[in-house]
Amino acid sequence: MTKREYIKSILVGFNNTGKTYYVRNVLAKKLLKADKTKKIVLISSNCFDKTLKGVKQVHSFKDLKRLKSGFVVFWDKKHFREHGENGFFDELYQLAEDGHLTNGAIIIDDATKYFSKGVISKVMASFLTDYRHFGLDFFFIFHELKRIPTILLDRIHIVLMKKTTETNLDLKFFNTRGFGNAPAFLKAYKILNKISFDSKLRYTTISVKTGI
């Protein structure tokens, strides 16, 4: 996978399949190797994930604004509590619009909660429209294929698939849910579905292009 294929991507997999490890040790390292000035921001309320031990933690928009480069975990709990989801991402959008996240990558952990009933918020839609102008890459993390909203799949270049708990998914599912290149998604799903959660192969990641 080339660096530019990460522009707008989804990583999907159940707990303990190595999603956070992949973000830290594959995605972040690859992006920083390509450009040492890259700003990589993992938006996650789960700052205590042991896989993130040693990664710099940023807890306010004021401090995020000062970020020069590198990989950080970001969560402004106070701002989120006072202004909610829309206020949180409005502030993030403003930082990007003002040029503070130029040449950056935003990784949104547990993205399901930001797409209520499959509806994309106004500010998120703006991000996915304007990201090129801000010099941003986007990366979303979900736990299940069924949780990925169709409206987001219409805007995504690639899905990095890991094992999920979902069973009996078929070609109809991938077609009706808007997974472009549905046969390739079904093939990857079948391979991953055969892997046991007790096996080291549970960390397997298969990259599937949506065709967009």
Side-chain angles (χ1 to χ4, degrees):
M1 177 182 295
T2 65
K3 182 240 179 194
R4 295 315 301 166
E5 284 179 308
Y6 282 119
I7 290 175
K8 289 191 292 188
S9 306
I10 291 173
L11 172 63
V12 57
F14 199 62
N15 295 335
N16 200 30
T17 56
K19 296 189 303 298
T20 305
Y21 179 91
Y22 186 92
V23 167
R24 178 178 182 177
N25 294 288
V26 180
L27 173 62
K29 284 186 176 181
K30 178 168 283 193
L31 292 177
L32 286 171
K33 184 178 180 180
D35 186 348
K36 293 180 180 179
T37 67
K38 195 80 172 177
K39 304 171 187 176
I40 305 171
V41 182
L42 172 60
I43 298 174
S44 175
S45 57
N46 186 21
C47 299
F48 301 104
D49 189 320
K50 63 182 180 181
T51 311
L52 295 172
K53 185 177 180 181
V55 177
K56 182 180 179 181
Q57 308 272 329
V58 177
H59 298 290
S60 74
F61 280 101
K62 183 178 180 180
D63 289 338
L64 183 62
K65 187 176 179 179
R66 298 192 186 104
L67 179 66
K68 299 300 182 183
S69 64
F71 176 43
V72 300
V73 181
F74 172 65
W75 186 252
D76 190 332
K77 183 178 180 180
K78 183 176 183 292
H79 194 284
F80 194 90
R81 185 174 62 246
E82 293 177 355
H83 302 283
E85 173 193 328
N86 287 333
F88 184 92
F89 282 102
D90 278 337
E91 186 70 17
L92 192 67
Y93 183 91
Q94 192 61 55
L95 250 66
E97 189 173 41
D98 291 343
H100 298 296
L101 296 176
T102 300
N103 192 34
I106 294 177
I107 306 165
I108 301 179
D109 189 21
D110 195 12
T112 302
K113 58 189 174 188
Y114 304 122
F115 294 93
S116 178
K117 297 180 180 179
V119 177
I120 191 169
S121 67
K122 183 178 179 180
V123 66
M124 192 65 75
S126 296
F127 253 134
L128 292 174
T129 300
D130 300 336
Y131 77 100
R132 289 182 185 274
H133 303 299
F134 300 154
L136 283 172
D137 294 344
F138 256 104
F139 199 80
F140 298 88
I141 302 175
F142 290 88
H143 287 90
E144 294 180 336
L145 293 160
K146 292 177 181 178
R147 297 288 186 179
I148 303 173
T150 300
I151 195 168
L152 183 57
L153 284 168
D154 291 340
R155 302 162 184 256
I156 289 297
H157 298 308
I158 198 162
V159 177
L160 299 162
M161 294 176 63
K162 287 180 168 290
K163 182 175 175 61
T164 69
T165 58
E166 298 158 297
T167 58
N168 301 319
L169 299 187
D170 55 18
L171 188 61
K172 181 180 179 181
F173 166 81
F174 290 104
N175 276 320
T176 57
R177 293 285 296 183
F179 286 83
N181 196 13
F185 278 101
L186 179 62
K187 180 180 179 180
Y189 162 75
K190 287 182 175 180
I191 292 171
L192 294 165
N193 198 41
K194 292 178 181 178
I195 298 172
S196 168
F197 277 113
D198 296 325
S199 168
K200 289 183 179 180
L201 291 175
R202 69 180 182 274
Y203 301 122
T204 300
T205 305
I206 299 178
S207 173
V208 184
K209 294 182 178 180
T210 63
I212 292 176

